[in-house]
Amino acid sequence: MSQHLPDVQADAPDVTVGLSQVGVTGVDKLVKIARNGDRPIILTAEFDVFVDLPAWRKGADMSRNMEVIDEILEDATREEAYRPEEVCGDAASRLLEKHEYTTRAEVSMNAKFMQRERTPESDRETQHTVDIIASATATDEGTREEIGARVDGMTVCPCSQGMSTARARRTLEDLGVDDGTITAFLDEVPQPGHSQRGHATLTIEADGDPQVELDDVIDIARDAMSARIYNLAKRPDEDHMTYASHADAKFVEDCVRAMAEGVVDEFHHLPDDAVVTMAQSNDESIHQHNAHAERVVDVGTLRREVREEY
């Protein structure tokens, strides 16, 4: 005869205070993302799962959270086509259904994605590492999903470059070079500036499925910096990256604004209430501190600002 086990988590707590997030973090799972006409992407993903907890309940049922995550991710590995944010959305919706006491369920996912590409000059095959960011929040009003990426690149400081350009102009003047030749030379050969490893983060959040292609998000974020970087680089590739980055020197603020412009140009279908998060962090080479800039804004406002419709 089985012994009845008490549900202690359903008891009233000693202190009747509600909690906005209770759940589990760091749940590692393999997720297969199918692609039309191409091999599926296999991701090693880490999930965080949360529900809210009312003041009258002592604890959340953690086993249910794990059960739902296992069910959803098992389904995801069998589906022919699946977006990372849909995995989170399904999990959040099922969490809401299984926990009758909750009003909000949140599921977030981070995963490493290796993107194949070719080097810019030597045309060698290489791979680029991308951090995929996906999440979803389910309430009685519906499910809101987010998809995005964190990528690396390089930037060159325009201020530092401006000082180098001024020095080069004075030196050429002292050597007797005429002004027209100096200007033509400096227009053709960008001068040195201190460079940084840049980290760009771009995510888009909307009700239901944002219908945002991850590859487009990655491209916008990578192109917002002074130059793309590559894991493999022969000497012609190194020269390409050095020249390209100095020809497009950008402050950390410029990178965020470039992402904003890219989002407005690329995602015409997004509703005005979709929310865009854009962040740029640069590892400074000549300072002990780092530089950071970001903006969180709804798409309607972003469109007006980019198009200067004040």
Side-chain angles (χ1 to χ4, degrees):
M1 183 175 179
S2 62
Q3 183 181 6
H4 176 71
L5 299 176
D7 186 2
V8 178
Q9 296 188 85
D11 292 345
D14 296 332
V15 180
T16 54
V17 173
L19 304 176
S20 56
Q21 286 187 328
V22 177
V24 294
T25 62
V27 181
D28 294 326
K29 293 291 180 181
L30 283 179
V31 178
K32 181 169 66 176
I33 307 296
R35 297 182 293 173
N36 292 329
D38 208 341
R39 291 184 299 174
I41 301 170
I42 307 299
L43 301 175
T44 301
E46 182 177 283
F47 288 85
D48 295 342
V49 181
F50 301 107
V51 296
D52 62 345
L53 191 67
W56 52 262
R57 185 180 174 95
K58 190 175 186 66
D61 191 337
M62 296 299 179
S63 62
R64 287 188 185 179
N65 292 6
M66 289 302 301
E67 179 184 2
V68 170
I69 287 295
D70 284 337
E71 288 176 359
I72 296 299
L73 295 184
E74 286 301 319
D75 289 343
T77 60
R78 290 191 293 267
E79 292 288 337
E80 293 184 358
Y82 234 96
R83 298 173 183 265
E85 67 271 28
E86 290 176 339
V87 177
C88 297
D90 279 353
S93 297
R94 295 195 189 191
L95 275 169
L96 198 65
E97 293 173 1
K98 285 183 175 289
H99 295 74
E100 66 279 358
Y101 53 84
T102 61
T103 61
R104 181 184 180 92
E106 302 172 55
V107 177
S108 62
M109 184 197 90
N110 285 274
K112 292 287 186 183
F113 172 40
M114 299 300 293
Q115 192 176 42
R116 293 187 179 276
E117 60 184 357
R118 305 195 74 85
T119 55
E121 291 295 333
S122 63
D123 197 33
R124 303 289 187 91
E125 185 174 298
T126 184
Q127 296 184 21
H128 180 79
T129 305
V130 174
D131 290 324
I132 296 176
I133 303 167
S135 68
T137 301
T139 66
D140 291 339
E141 297 178 355
T143 302
R144 195 167 176 87
E145 295 179 353
E146 178 187 45
I147 183 63
R150 185 181 299 107
V151 302
D152 295 333
M154 66 181 295
T155 61
V156 171
C157 175
C159 183
S160 172
Q161 186 181 58
M163 290 185 287
S164 294
T165 300
R167 179 189 293 272
R169 179 176 290 277
R170 289 194 302 270
T171 301
L172 291 170
E173 288 172 347
D174 292 343
L175 292 172
V177 180
D178 65 90
D179 187 67
T181 301
I182 293 174
T183 300
F185 173 79
L186 294 177
D187 287 343
E188 184 66 25
V189 182
Q191 295 304 294
H194 75 84
S195 62
Q196 306 102 351
R197 172 74 63 84
H199 312 281
T201 301
L202 174 61
T203 67
I204 298 172
E205 175 189 338
D207 290 329
D209 185 351
Q211 288 294 317
V212 170
E213 292 296 330
L214 181 60
D215 285 345
D216 293 335
V217 172
I218 294 170
D219 286 339
I220 291 170
R222 293 185 75 187
D223 291 337
M225 291 176 275
S226 294
R228 294 189 175 197
I229 60 174
Y230 300 83
N231 280 334
L232 172 67
K234 305 294 285 184
R235 281 188 296 176
D237 303 311
E238 292 178 356
D239 179 63
H240 173 95
M241 287 184 279
T242 302
Y243 182 88
S245 61
H246 283 79
D248 191 19
K250 288 178 177 177
F251 291 118
V252 66
E253 300 92 335
D254 295 325
C255 298
V256 174
R257 289 170 174 143
M259 279 188 269
E261 187 175 37
V263 167
V264 170
D265 289 344
E266 181 65 35
F267 301 122
H268 303 283
H269 67 283
L270 286 174
D272 284 348
D273 66 349
V275 174
V276 181
T277 299
M278 303 163 289
Q280 178 73 27
S281 295
N282 290 344
D283 300 336
E284 292 282 1
S285 59
I286 63 171
H287 305 295
Q288 289 187 324
H289 60 263
N290 295 324
H292 182 84
E294 68 177 82
R295 179 74 187 280
V296 179
V297 62
D298 65 84
V299 170
T301 300
L302 191 64
R303 286 176 177 141
R304 289 193 298 272
E305 291 184 4
V306 169
R307 296 167 182 167
E308 294 183 350
E309 297 176 0
Y310 295 102

